[in-house]
Amino acid sequence: MLSIFRIRGGPVPLRELPSFLAKLVVFGAVTGPFWASFFMMFGYPEGALEIFLNPVALAWASLTGVVFALCFGTICGLGNGYLRGVLKGYPPAIMGTIYIVYNAVGCSLACALSFAIIMHLPGTGVKIEVPFLWAIVATDGIIGAILALIIGAFIKLKMQVECTQKKLSEMAVTASQAQSRALQSQINPHFFFNTLNTISALVEEDPGAAREMIGRLSDLFRYTLGCSCADAVTLGEEVQFVRDYLSIERARFRKRLRIDLPEGDLPPVRIPGLVLQPLVENAIKHGIARLIDGGSVRVRVRVEGAGERFRVSVRNTADEHALPDGAAMFRPGHALDNVRARLRIFTGEEEPLRVHRGTDWVEFSFEAPAA
Amino acid sequence: MMRLRALIVDDEDLARSSLRRMLTDAGGVEIVGEASNGVEALETIAELKPDVVLLDIEMPGFDGFEVAQQLENPPAIVFVTAYDEYAVRAFEANAIDYLLKPVRPERLERALARVRKRLGAPDAAKVRELREVARERGGPLQRIAARRGKRIVIVPVRDIVRIEIEDKLVFAVTANERLLIEKTITELEAMLEPAGFLRISRGELVNLETVKELLPWFSGTWRVKLANGEERDVSRDRAKQLREAMGA
């Protein structure tokens, strides 16, 4: 009911005024006979039913209803809408007082106006004693004030709920950003010390290669330090990072590691930083490193459909006996669990990281909107 | 000073060459061989019988712990790891030698000195200690080395239904084959008990996972029915243990 008359919606725009008035007319015409019947029960109970049987009385009651609806609707209904806009930003106490006073006066006025119109309609012959009329008008004023109180309380409650919801969602965003930062994967200590060991061996064997490797390790470090995981990086940056990372692993594993990375231009999409590299590192640690003859790591990027989504996959050779089940793969604190948590924040999907496996391979993939 | 015969085990070429250089520089060490994975390590250790093995932990085939658990007369072992907090804690607790990568020459020399000092220690104590550490670190043995013809193959322990003796040779029976294992049944019992195997008679171990039923047999003996349909005899003195293990 309230929403039909836009009580929650603030001021009624000018172009909606005709439809607002039309609604008032219909509302008054339909409910008028019921109001009349209701009030008749107090002084003339026989008439309460008769009003619906006598067409003239019914038409009369509808007309009365229309007059009342128009008076109350324009004075109180429209006024409240405009008041809300005007009073926005005032302290609740002042706002409430003005509402109550306005509605008390408005209802009294609307009531008096309605009676004045009805009494002066030609050929009606309605006569109401003046003291009784004043009593009705005063009562209406009080009812108006009470209504204003109730509606005011309702609006206040609604505003509080909205405010709490807004705060909660703001807190959730902050929490997810903090979580994202906390989840940011660091350089894996295992990888770090193994690389230092490789460099240590190269120092005497091939000083040039050692220098080269120190440079690459520094680049990796810089990337992980500079990459804030709260914001996404381009897919190209992440693939380049993977390329640098793999060049180091290649020095360790030599021929045991075969690499297949996407060549050429990549779609200009963004992904969370440090999501692809942990997947590749996982492929090496749990796939290639466990195979005596080694294997391959393949990264693929595919644009899905008409370009609105893209899919990134990392597939590696794996020992069929060593494929762990899902729960073991996503141990809390494990890199994959971390990647999954960050993709969850990024994509909003519950299971963003998909796992496919064959007899001697395993593949991780995720999809995201290209925009 | 006695010359130590050393074996280097690491899957990375550069890691091995770095250790080789440092061992040579340390002096008093003869490098008898190298292995680049767990299977090779087991073969080479059995063949060359070195005094000391520098054993990398993260390796394909068997990892360093799996290798250590399968050695019968273990040489002195110095574990090498890049980063393994748990392992290091277990080593410290059991006074096992270990080196952290990148390896520093003076740490390597200190480890070699300790190896020399403990060279005469009895095998049984060394075996116990190694198995203890391996178990603390990696849980029960997951895979075991077996022979298919001349090749060493890796058999997942959970695939083994039972272990049996025939003509003094020990075999692991899986769902579809029977593989020779170069160990005594008593050694296997010690190695596999933590993985859920139980000795049911003088010549047989069963994987409790595959036991379907326990049936009373003649004069206090029992029989077990296995998942593959086989029925095996349980000796009288083992029956009680088996019933307890099965919670019966």
Side-chain angles (χ1 to χ4, degrees):
Chain A
M1 240 279 294
L2 293 178
S3 60
I4 295 177
F5 293 108
R6 300 189 42 104
I7 283 181
R8 323 81 113 56
V12 178
L14 209 56
R15 64 190 157 75
E16 280 183 30
L17 203 58
S19 87
F20 176 72
L21 292 175
K23 279 179 202 164
L24 283 177
V25 169
V26 173
F27 176 73
V30 173
T31 59
F34 292 95
W35 292 118
S37 167
F38 175 73
F39 284 115
M40 274 182 177
M41 283 200 276
F42 299 100
Y44 178 50
E46 302 92 317
L49 193 68
E50 212 182 276
I51 205 167
F52 291 101
L53 304 173
N54 181 344
V56 178
L58 194 64
W60 178 236
S62 285
L63 181 66
T64 316
V66 170
V67 171
F68 268 91
L70 281 175
C71 288
F72 276 93
T74 48
I75 294 176
C76 292
L78 279 181
N80 273 321
Y82 284 107
L83 259 188
R84 199 174 167 188
V86 173
L87 294 178
K88 209 172 193 174
Y90 278 78
I94 294 178
M95 221 160 119
T97 313
I98 292 176
Y99 265 121
I100 291 165
V101 171
Y102 173 80
N103 279 288
V105 174
C107 278
S108 300
L109 267 177
C111 180
L113 184 65
S114 309
F115 275 107
I117 292 170
I118 291 162
M119 277 159 71
H120 289 90
L121 280 178
T124 57
V126 173
K127 288 280 179 292
I128 300 170
E129 300 293 325
V130 174
F132 181 58
L133 189 63
W134 281 119
I136 295 176
V137 169
T139 316
D140 255 65
I142 294 165
I143 293 173
I146 293 170
L147 267 175
L149 264 175
I150 294 171
I151 294 175
F154 169 77
I155 290 174
K156 192 173 171 221
L157 192 72
K158 205 175 136 233
M159 274 160 65
Q160 274 176 345
V161 169
E162 276 168 5
C163 187
T164 314
Q165 276 173 344
K166 202 175 147 201
K167 267 189 198 153
L168 278 178
S169 73
E170 274 168 8
M171 276 162 69
V173 169
T174 321
S176 79
Q177 277 170 351
Q179 201 185 358
S180 217
R181 270 192 293 276
L183 286 171
Q184 171 160 7
S185 67
Q186 307 291 329
I187 284 227
N188 172 355
H190 222 278
F191 167 73
F192 178 66
F193 291 118
N194 270 317
T195 307
L196 288 186
N197 195 48
T198 310
I199 292 171
S200 165
L202 284 171
V203 165
E204 281 180 80
E205 240 167 67
D206 187 348
R211 201 174 300 126
E212 172 73 33
M213 204 141 173
I214 291 170
R216 273 185 207 149
L217 186 64
S218 308
D219 284 347
L220 289 186
F221 239 131
R222 250 189 294 279
Y223 184 85
T224 55
L225 288 174
C227 165
S228 157
C229 283
D231 8 282
V233 299
T234 66
L235 189 55
E237 286 173 300
E238 189 75 1
V239 169
Q240 184 52 45
F241 176 58
V242 166
R243 194 165 279 132
D244 290 341
Y245 161 74
L246 282 174
S247 71
I248 290 182
E249 293 288 36
R250 173 92 179 147
R252 287 179 51 205
F253 290 104
R254 304 220 164 156
K255 279 185 214 137
R256 280 172 62 209
L257 173 60
R258 290 178 288 282
I259 301 165
D260 183 359
L261 286 180
E263 295 294 336
D265 290 340
L266 290 165
V269 290
R270 299 182 90 82
I271 59 170
L274 294 172
V275 151
L276 190 53
Q277 186 270 341
L279 289 178
V280 174
E281 187 162 342
N282 179 72
I284 293 199
K285 195 172 165 204
H286 297 284
I288 314 306
R290 296 189 178 185
L291 293 163
I292 291 174
D293 299 320
S296 64
V297 176
R298 191 190 80 180
V299 177
R300 281 274 178 278
V301 176
R302 206 171 67 203
V303 177
E304 301 271 298
E308 66 272 12
R309 288 180 77 72
F310 65 96
R311 180 176 183 275
V312 179
S313 62
V314 176
R315 180 187 289 209
N316 64 275
T317 324
D319 176 4
E320 56 180 321
H321 295 301
L323 291 180
D325 55 40
M329 276 184 190
F330 295 106
R331 273 199 324 275
H334 189 276
L336 286 181
D337 185 57
N338 188 317
V339 167
R340 182 172 66 171
R342 298 208 343 265
L343 281 173
R344 224 175 244 162
I345 297 170
F346 182 71
T347 64
E349 289 172 37
E350 188 49 36
E351 287 301 336
L353 196 57
R354 270 153 247 172
V355 188
H356 301 276
R357 52 180 89 198
T359 49
D360 65 343
W361 56 268
V362 62
E363 181 186 280
F364 288 89
S365 67
F366 63 89
E367 279 183 30
Chain B
M1 191 166 62
M2 189 200 129
R3 240 178 127 70
L4 280 178
R5 299 177 67 252
L7 178 76
I8 301 171
V9 184
D10 197 305
D11 61 326
E12 290 169 36
D13 298 353
L14 285 168
R16 285 201 306 275
S17 67
S18 157
L19 277 177
R20 202 186 310 134
R21 195 183 300 264
M22 274 186 266
L23 282 173
T24 314
D25 291 350
V29 179
E30 178 196 351
I31 299 163
V32 291
E34 291 182 12
S36 63
N37 60 63
V39 175
E40 249 179 58
L42 280 177
E43 286 177 317
T44 331
I45 293 169
E47 189 190 318
L48 301 174
K49 301 197 171 23
D51 300 319
V52 57
V53 179
L54 297 168
L55 187 58
D56 186 28
I57 292 177
E58 299 268 319
M59 272 188 308
F62 296 110
D63 70 21
F65 288 115
E66 288 171 320
V67 170
Q69 278 183 88
Q70 295 183 72
L71 295 172
E72 290 157 49
N73 306 304
I77 288 185
V78 178
F79 285 102
V80 187
T81 181
Y83 181 81
D84 192 332
E85 292 170 88
Y86 303 107
V88 167
R89 222 174 290 156
F91 297 148
E92 298 281 5
N94 290 279
I96 298 240
D97 285 314
Y98 67 93
L99 293 168
L100 294 173
K101 290 181 182 178
V103 179
R104 279 154 63 191
E106 61 270 26
R107 283 282 289 117
L108 175 66
E109 279 169 40
R110 211 190 305 164
L112 291 174
R114 276 168 52 102
V115 166
R116 285 205 166 86
K117 219 182 281 177
R118 285 153 49 97
L119 218 48
D123 280 355
K126 276 193 281 182
V127 170
R128 211 173 36 243
E129 205 172 41
L130 281 175
R131 285 197 184 143
E132 184 74 19
V133 169
R135 219 168 292 154
E136 268 174 51
R137 171 63 186 79
L141 198 61
Q142 305 272 325
R143 297 168 306 169
I144 191 168
R147 239 173 226 288
R148 186 185 286 138
K150 277 194 161 180
R151 289 186 51 198
I152 284 194
V153 291
I154 300 164
V155 187
V157 166
R158 61 165 190 269
D159 290 356
I160 300 173
V161 178
R162 59 193 178 84
I163 306 277
E164 65 177 5
I165 299 185
E166 193 188 300
D167 298 333
K168 292 186 180 165
L169 294 175
V170 177
F171 293 92
V173 180
T174 67
N176 41 33
E177 59 185 334
R178 200 158 162 269
L179 298 153
L180 180 70
I181 297 193
E182 294 173 310
K183 296 217 175 317
T184 68
I185 195 138
T186 313
E187 278 165 4
L188 278 174
E189 187 184 2
M191 269 165 52
L192 294 177
E193 210 176 38
F197 280 67
L198 201 80
R199 188 89 171 252
I200 55 165
S201 61
R202 262 172 48 103
E204 207 154 24
L205 286 171
V206 290
N207 183 347
L208 288 172
E209 283 287 301
T210 67
V211 175
K212 284 277 161 260
E213 258 181 274
L214 187 58
L215 316 160
W217 209 236
F218 300 108
S219 58
T221 64
W222 293 70
R223 294 203 112 188
V224 279
K225 212 176 197 176
L226 303 179
N228 60 4
E230 287 179 311
E231 284 185 18
R232 314 298 304 171
D233 290 327
V234 182
S235 68
R236 204 170 308 168
D237 54 324
R238 302 279 174 182
K240 187 165 172 277
Q241 262 178 292
L242 183 57
R243 287 212 310 278
E244 274 166 13
M246 290 181 67

